[in-house]
Amino acid sequence: MLCAFVFMVVFAMMLARITLQPSPASEALIHTNLRPGRSLRAYLDQPALRDAVRQVGGNILLGMPFGLLAPVVAPRTRGFLRVLLLTGSVMLMVEFAQGAMITGRAFDIDDVILNTGGALIGYLLLGRRLSRAVHARRPKAGTRPDTERKAKSRGRAEPMPEAEPKSRKRA
């Protein structure tokens, strides 16, 4: 768990460095995008396929560590919907910060979608398993162990507890 926390901190620092670094040279090229798919079409319409793959793939890869590490660091974030909501919220905040405060950067909803998609891919490929390995669920008090539950679901009868001897009435 400590390793996952350290990796999450390193990932957050890298994410900030990559996404929140000013880019005055590209200021004239940057436009805010609030319509899903608009930037994706622009990427795919570029003559060099390499640039499109770099933009789309880079955004997907940028989100993957979040889907891997968030459920390990914070086990309450385990679950497809929770990872979706958490990642979407964090990436929205990053994009808002880019658009509002960083020269040469703009808000792009397609980046949020691609980053969140990458996090979900990371969660489904490995994050879910890592989280389960680190945070094994413990049975709740009063529930039967898994072996008895599995035996019952297969139709096997559980052994009956031995009957207690009836107390004899005293005369």
Side-chain angles (χ1 to χ4, degrees):
M1 178 130 161
L2 179 61
C3 287
F5 180 75
V6 169
F7 284 129
M8 186 62 112
V9 170
V10 170
F11 168 68
M13 290 171 33
M14 289 176 54
L15 179 67
R17 182 176 172 94
I18 291 169
T19 60
L20 300 178
Q21 186 175 8
S23 179
S26 61
E27 188 172 350
L29 304 172
I30 303 299
H31 303 287
T32 298
N33 174 30
L34 299 175
R35 289 195 351 230
R38 183 202 273 173
S39 293
L40 292 174
R41 279 191 294 280
Y43 296 150
L44 297 175
D45 288 343
Q46 293 178 3
L49 179 64
R50 182 176 161 209
D51 292 337
V53 169
R54 196 170 91 199
Q55 288 290 332
V56 174
N59 277 311
I60 291 172
L61 287 174
L62 195 62
M64 288 181 92
F66 203 81
L68 291 169
L69 297 171
V72 175
V73 173
R76 289 184 174 227
T77 63
R78 190 183 332 174
F80 187 85
L81 187 59
R82 289 179 180 172
V83 170
L84 173 78
L85 293 173
L86 178 65
T87 305
S89 300
V90 169
M91 295 307 171
L92 271 171
M93 287 190 293
V94 168
E95 287 295 318
F96 281 134
Q98 275 185 337
M101 299 184 302
I102 310 300
T103 303
R105 300 281 186 166
F107 179 88
D108 189 347
I109 193 67
D110 289 334
D111 287 353
V112 174
I113 293 167
L114 291 171
N115 294 152
T116 303
L120 292 175
I121 291 169
Y123 173 72
L124 292 174
L125 290 178
L126 196 57
R128 182 175 44 182
R129 289 186 187 110
L130 281 175
S131 178
R132 286 182 182 162
V134 173
H135 304 287
R137 294 188 180 184
R138 294 183 180 103
K140 295 179 184 176
T143 60
R144 291 181 283 198
D146 284 343
T147 54
E148 290 179 16
R149 192 176 301 141
K150 287 178 185 174
K152 188 172 184 178
S153 69
R154 292 182 192 139
R156 296 180 186 160
E158 294 179 32
M160 294 292 290
E162 291 185 26
E164 294 181 24
K166 294 182 181 180
S167 59
R168 296 182 184 183
K169 293 182 183 179
R170 293 185 183 182

